[in-house]
Amino acid sequence: SAATASGIVFTGSGATANNTAVFEVNWGASTPANTGSNLVRLDATGADTTVVPTILEIVGAGETARGLYIDTDGTSVGAAAFHRGGELTNGVGVVNITNDGNLAAGGSLLCMTMGGTPADATVAACEIVASKDCLALDIISSAATDSAVQITGAGALANNKAILELIDTGEPANAG
């Protein structure tokens, strides 16, 4: 029969101080055995998921709280990796970002800010590698009183550089 209560519940009371948590897992001085080691692992591979459950849910509706904060210093791996196997249905992405609240002036659904000092001009704030026969970027906008796409350059461009540079290295088809 279906469970009607949570298996484990952690409930905090009172104020939580900086760098403390209601639930904390600390790796301590132990050394991971290999690159497949995990500090926390949620494994649902043996579960019956025909009802499409959520493996990890973070709920903070009505609260001024960050839903997820990731801070790592690895130099050979990304801070977060999303991998999806299987064929996705139309309109579903490996990562879906949706808001249901109103964004304030200047707000954004996705904000990327590059910090630190880039090694050279080949560093990108966003890189899309679509080495398959598909759209690399599809923008569908209902903009009525503003531009659908806006690119603002703030640096002094060097000779032979532009705010938008398009390079085609493929063999053109006989499209005319």
Side-chain angles (χ1 to χ4, degrees), residues 2 5 12 18 22 24 39 45-47 50 55 58 63 66 77 88 90 99 103 138 155 170:
N18 287 342
V22 173
E24 181 173 334
L39 182 57
T45 56
T50 55
I55 294 174
I58 300 171
E63 303 297 332
R66 182 177 289 117
V77 295
L88 293 173
N90 187 23
N99 77 308
L103 293 172
D138 186 13

Side-chain angles (χ1 to χ4, degrees), residues 41-50 53 55:
R41 183 174 192 217
L42 306 174
D43 187 347
T45 56
D48 177 5
T49 58
T50 55
I55 294 174

Side-chain angles (χ1 to χ4, degrees), residues 98-104 109:
T98 305
N99 77 308
D100 60 1
N102 296 327
L103 293 172
L109 188 57

Side-chain angles (χ1 to χ4, degrees), residues 13-102:
S13 62
T16 304
N18 287 342
N19 297 316
T20 63
V22 173
F23 174 68
E24 181 173 334
V25 179
N26 191 323
W27 225 327
S30 65
T31 301
N34 56 49
T35 57
S37 297
N38 302 294
L39 182 57
V40 176
R41 183 174 192 217
L42 306 174
D43 187 347
T45 56
D48 177 5
T49 58
T50 55
V51 295
V52 192
T54 299
I55 294 174
L56 175 64
E57 181 178 26
I58 300 171
V59 180
E63 303 297 332
T64 301
R66 182 177 289 117
L68 184 63
Y69 178 75
I70 300 172
D71 183 1
T72 64
D73 293 327
T75 58
S76 62
V77 295
F82 295 92
H83 172 79
R84 168 69 184 191
E87 185 175 347
L88 293 173
T89 59
N90 187 23
V92 177
V94 172
V95 176
N96 295 317
I97 301 173
T98 305
N99 77 308
D100 60 1
N102 296 327

